[in-house]
Amino acid sequence: MKRQKKSKDKLTQAGAFLLDDNSPFAVKEAYKALRTNVTFSLPGSESKCIGFTSSERAEGKSTNAVNLGISFAQIGKRVILLDCDMRLPTVASKTGLQQNPGLSDLLVGEAAAKDVIRHYIDNMDVIPAGQIPPDPTGLLASDLMVKLLAKLKELYDYVLIDLPPVNTVTDASILSRYIDGFLLVVRHEAANYRDVTEMFRLLELSEAKILGFIYNDAPVESKKYYSHYYAYGK
Ligand SMILES: Nc1ncnc2c1ncn2[C@@H]1O[C@H](COP(=O)(O)OP(=O)(O)OP(=O)(O)O)[C@@H](O)[C@H]1O
Ligand SMILES: [Mg+2]
């Protein structure tokens, strides 16, 4: 499987690199392993809120957020994925769902929850980002966002949050106190040591709980697999 050199169409195509019955065996196994590791990293029966971020753009946050959601949904867990990357949202296009109205519209009071929660697959719903707002950070820091997360935790087993990169904007850090654990996506041959160190520094400053990192697009024995998970001991 080639990375980044594929045609532009393929890059924006709904369903590209998403987990399904036709995914290669190794990919299915990688997501099962990720799911198991996340489950054991966050013990307890209460609902879990998991954030996906990275140091820079295009490392595979959204792809891995959707795929982990699919993986949990496949074993009967109730999942909702929120596209909180309101600057460059991609969850709607990846899942083939309508972008508007979405999270931004809900947070400014222009849409109701029932209008923004979209059914994606059995056991999995999505809230797309909605219209691109002038101040996404302000919306994420709002009381309404805190209330929304609390309500979603009552309704779903896993609330997955797709975020922008930490080194670019503060959105991930702002939500850190409501997120039970972060998965940090590091793409093979993309992020460098300095970027990753800076990401850790910024997340630790906001006292974020880091579950581990997903090494995305990793070459294994000359084949490109989607991802590997590494726990980050804390
Ligand atoms: N393991 C992979 N193998 C091949 N292509 C991949 C892989 N992971 C992601 N991609 C592709 O790379 C591009 C970026 O992935 P994705 O949108 O998931 O990254 P992102 O970190 O969410 O980006 P952004 O910072 O822009 O939100 C997409 O076109 C996606 O299909
Ligand atoms: Mg993304």
Side-chain angles (χ1 to χ4, degrees):
M1 185 196 327
K2 290 192 180 130
R3 51 186 286 275
Q4 292 297 42
K5 293 192 182 76
K6 59 193 96 56
S7 74
K8 214 168 175 220
D9 281 356
K10 182 78 178 167
L11 287 176
T12 51
Q13 186 185 310
F17 300 107
L18 296 191
L19 194 57
D20 62 21
D21 290 346
N22 300 320
S23 299
F25 176 75
V27 171
K28 291 183 192 160
E29 288 303 301
Y31 282 107
K32 266 189 210 163
L34 175 61
R35 186 179 71 205
T36 305
N37 283 314
V38 168
T39 304
F40 281 93
S41 304
L42 286 172
S45 56
E46 70 280 12
S47 168
K48 315 284 164 32
C49 183
I50 300 172
F52 289 76
T53 192
S54 61
S55 58
E56 300 298 332
R57 286 254 164 229
E59 299 212 45
K61 297 176 290 299
S62 305
T63 303
N64 278 283
V66 178
N67 282 346
L68 183 63
I70 295 172
S71 181
F72 272 122
Q74 284 172 343
I75 57 162
K77 299 289 181 190
R78 288 162 303 153
V79 180
I80 188 156
L81 169 62
L82 273 67
D83 193 347
C84 290
D85 189 345
M86 288 188 265
R87 296 157 206 274
L88 283 173
T90 63
V91 171
S93 62
K94 283 187 202 310
T95 52
L97 296 169
Q98 196 184 310
Q99 168 86 310
N100 300 313
L103 182 63
S104 61
D105 308 279
L106 178 69
L107 294 177
V108 295
E110 287 294 317
K114 66 174 177 37
D115 302 323
V116 302
I117 298 179
R118 312 234 197 294
H119 176 69
Y120 176 43
I121 55 170
D122 282 355
N123 299 320
M124 182 170 174
D125 293 339
V126 167
I127 300 185
Q131 298 183 66
I132 296 178
D135 176 20
T137 311
L139 284 185
L140 292 177
S142 67
D143 286 350
L144 262 179
M145 182 67 193
V146 177
K147 284 185 188 144
L148 174 68
L149 289 179
K151 188 73 200 160
L152 293 177
K153 282 184 86 170
E154 284 172 19
L155 300 172
Y156 295 89
D157 298 312
Y158 287 91
V159 179
L160 305 183
I161 304 204
D162 186 25
L163 290 154
V166 173
N167 297 9
T168 322
V169 286
T170 56
D171 300 9
S173 302
I174 276 176
L175 284 183
S176 67
R177 89 176 83 148
Y178 309 106
I179 290 179
D180 299 306
F182 278 91
L183 287 169
L184 309 180
V185 182
V186 176
R187 191 170 190 156
H188 178 68
E189 288 179 347
N192 61 33
Y193 179 78
R194 221 171 65 181
D195 297 334
V196 174
T197 309
E198 179 62 2
M199 167 172 64
F200 274 111
R201 191 186 73 77
L202 293 169
L203 286 171
E204 284 185 342
L205 267 182
S206 62
E207 298 181 3
K209 179 171 166 46
I210 297 167
L211 294 180
F213 62 94
I214 295 170
Y215 184 32
N216 187 38
D217 209 359
V220 178
E221 291 167 9
S222 82
K223 287 182 186 143
K224 300 268 185 202
Y225 294 160
Y226 281 47
S227 54
H228 291 261
Y229 171 83
Y230 297 92
Y232 173 68
K234 248 199 149 181

